[in-house]
Amino acid sequence: SHVQEARRAYLGALVSFLVVFLLNGSLWIDFACMGAAPAHGFFPHLLPIPQNWFVIDRLNAPLLTLTSLLYLVALLTTLRSRVNRFTLTWMLVSQSIQLLTLSSVQPWALIAFLVAGTLPPYVELRMRQKSTQVFVAHMYLFAVLLIAGQALADVTVIMPWLMPWAVMALAAAVFIRSGVFPFHGWMSDLFEQASYGTSLLFTLPLSGAYAMLRLLVPIASESMLDAVRLVALATAVCGAGLALVQIDLRRFICYLLLSHCSLVLTGLVSMNLVSVTGALCAWISTSLALGGLGFTLRALECRCGRVSMRDFQGLYEHTPSLATFFLLTCLASIGFPGTLGFIGIELMIDGAVNDSLSLGFAVSIATMLNAIAVVRAFFLIFTGRQFPATVSLKIRPRERYAVLTLSLFILLGGIFPQSNIAARYEAARELIDRRVNNLRSLSEARGQLHVQREEPL
């Protein structure tokens, strides 16, 4: 029957996501605890793909595990009544694209998967018969700027005067993909039109930040990175302010995510070892915390419909477990002591203060506004009044497994942060060293070309 086929499809997808998560988790343990060397060549004898196109290193090993966990939690928190085989198929396709994106180090392979990753949200919008104009316009511009910027970067060895244009094109592409001002319109539209799961899975792995580290940071000058940093920091403050005044729950989570994503970008482009380490730690904690927060709100929406923040909803008595987990993820997202996000936020603020007192003040302001916004949301959703419910709103067993898994990562990562901080520190040092070596190689190549041109015939 159709019900039995849907159940088998769901169980097959669940087993697939669980196996992928366990395999990627073992890789993360290798790099975090055993100091494993980079692994090359995913398809050594099957496809004619160079071995240096896909690499697992200290940077992307935890990101692969994080992405796998988010997809697993998304499936666990999806009601069976809302799952169909087409959705499961596209979830598997989306996960494959995301994992290949985060494993790519060859620029053109990374660009191909970044562009391909825009297809699943577009397909869902078409399935739901929603407007795709805003999303398509932004993603089309993203693809054009990404391709043009990398094409210009490839010829800067012989035409160095094109470097500023290449950096500006790549920076604009990263801004669009990350929702940085003034390219944030598509993100709020996606959260309004698409499902919670698709919106979160498309934005939370922070593919824009990964593209920036692989494509932009290795070739950009200090002044260009400073400009990117200021724009990202301004977006972080503005996003936090917008999250503070939202009355729609979907727009609240959208602007909260936008602010945190911009904070991560701010730390990554600082080229300060402390700030970069903090940003890499915040990358993981932000994705876990906001992923848990978003999936909690998704579970509430499945029970109560669209939740408004105009007045108090008083849902605590009906769903105390979801309320507790909501509060835990809120505290983790703002760096509360004892959670996974504490060290990352602390390092980013410390690194920003060492660079400039005004930058440190701006990062602190953004964090403070985010803290006020999440506490306000908690009180509006779960406190304030009582009302009778006609059906049970308690947490379901599959949702309980997802909540316990994310809570375990958030709490254990905050209580025992040593291995994670050490691994992120090594990854930050590799990023900075790679940037220095790449800039030195470009300078030497241009010098040799200049000498060859000046040699007499």
Side-chain angles (χ1 to χ4, degrees), residues 10 14 70-80 82-83 91 197 200 291-292 294-296 298-300 302-303 322 325 395-396 398-403 406:
Y10 178 86
L14 181 61
L70 290 176
Y71 275 88
L72 177 61
V73 171
L75 186 61
L76 287 174
T77 55
T78 301
L79 297 179
R80 290 185 179 179
R82 299 198 174 197
V83 173
M91 282 187 70
L200 291 170
F295 291 129
T296 302
R298 180 189 185 212
L300 292 175
C302 291
R303 289 162 168 80
L322 289 178
F325 183 63
I395 191 170
R396 294 173 174 83
R398 290 187 290 106
E399 294 173 334
R400 186 177 293 110
Y401 297 146
V403 165
L406 286 178

Side-chain angles (χ1 to χ4, degrees), residues 50-129:
Q51 291 189 358
N52 60 349
W53 278 26
F54 300 96
V55 173
I56 299 178
D57 56 15
R58 289 186 177 89
L59 171 63
N60 59 17
L63 302 181
L64 296 173
T65 306
L66 173 66
T67 303
S68 304
L69 178 60
L70 290 176
Y71 275 88
L72 177 61
V73 171
L75 186 61
L76 287 174
T77 55
T78 301
L79 297 179
R80 290 185 179 179
S81 60
R82 299 198 174 197
V83 173
N84 55 66
R85 297 181 65 180
F86 187 80
T87 302
L88 292 176
T89 300
W90 277 101
M91 282 187 70
L92 290 167
V93 171
S94 175
Q95 185 195 45
S96 301
I97 295 174
Q98 288 282 8
L99 293 178
L100 287 171
T101 300
L102 296 174
S103 305
S104 302
V105 294
Q106 204 278 340
W108 289 108
L110 175 57
I111 290 172
F113 289 119
L114 284 170
V115 175
T118 62
L119 292 178
Y122 171 77
V123 171
E124 180 175 316
L125 290 174
R126 297 284 295 181
M127 287 177 55
R128 295 165 66 93
Q129 298 181 351

Side-chain angles (χ1 to χ4, degrees), residues 58-59 271-278 280 421-437:
R58 289 186 177 89
L59 171 63
M271 290 301 104
N272 179 316
L273 189 56
V274 175
S275 294
V276 176
T277 303
L280 292 177
I421 297 299
R424 298 291 82 195
Y425 176 82
E426 293 298 328
R429 189 167 61 178
E430 287 182 1
L431 284 172
I432 296 175
D433 292 342
R434 189 180 302 124
R435 165 180 160 78
V436 172
N437 294 332

Side-chain angles (χ1 to χ4, degrees), residues 249 300-301 303-305 307-308 312-323 378-387 389 393:
L249 199 56
L300 292 175
E301 196 173 88
R303 289 162 168 80
C304 310
V307 180
S308 173
F312 293 95
Q313 302 297 317
L315 294 176
Y316 179 85
E317 290 188 357
H318 301 284
T319 58
S321 298
L322 289 178
F378 173 79
F379 283 113
L380 285 173
I381 297 171
F382 293 103
T383 65
R385 66 172 183 171
Q386 297 180 355
F387 69 93
L393 302 180

Side-chain angles (χ1 to χ4, degrees), residues 122 125 130-142 176 183-191 193:
Y122 171 77
L125 290 174
K130 301 292 185 179
S131 174
T132 60
Q133 294 180 354
V134 175
F135 182 79
V136 169
H138 283 81
M139 293 302 106
Y140 179 79
L141 183 60
F142 160 71
I176 294 174
F183 306 108
H184 62 285
W186 71 267
M187 188 177 289
S188 58
D189 180 78
L190 181 66
F191 273 84
Q193 306 287 345

Side-chain angles (χ1 to χ4, degrees), residues 349-380:
I349 294 176
D350 185 60
V353 169
N354 290 334
D355 288 342
S356 171
L357 186 60
S358 58
L359 290 176
F361 181 74
V363 173
S364 301
I365 288 295
T367 305
M368 179 192 69
L369 293 177
N370 284 326
I372 298 174
V374 295
V375 173
R376 170 180 174 268
F378 173 79
F379 283 113
L380 285 173

Side-chain angles (χ1 to χ4, degrees), residues 115-232:
V115 175
T118 62
L119 292 178
Y122 171 77
V123 171
E124 180 175 316
L125 290 174
R126 297 284 295 181
M127 287 177 55
R128 295 165 66 93
Q129 298 181 351
K130 301 292 185 179
S131 174
T132 60
Q133 294 180 354
V134 175
F135 182 79
V136 169
H138 283 81
M139 293 302 106
Y140 179 79
L141 183 60
F142 160 71
V144 170
L145 289 173
L146 200 62
I147 295 171
Q150 186 58 41
L152 292 175
D154 288 343
V155 300
T156 52
V157 175
I158 57 177
M159 290 183 286
W161 55 273
L162 289 176
M163 180 61 75
W165 297 100
V167 172
M168 284 190 291
L170 291 173
V174 170
F175 286 167
I176 294 174
R177 185 61 179 82
S178 303
V180 174
F181 181 84
F183 306 108
H184 62 285
W186 71 267
M187 188 177 289
S188 58
D189 180 78
L190 181 66
F191 273 84
E192 285 282 345
Q193 306 287 345
S195 63
Y196 252 129
T198 298
S199 303
L200 291 170
L201 293 176
F202 184 67
T203 54
L204 270 182
L206 304 188
S207 300
Y210 185 79
M212 183 185 68
L213 290 179
R214 295 298 192 190
L215 302 177
L216 178 63
V217 170
I219 64 173
S221 64
E222 293 289 341
S223 59
M224 294 175 181
L225 290 183
D226 288 340
V228 171
R229 186 181 190 182
L230 290 176
V231 175

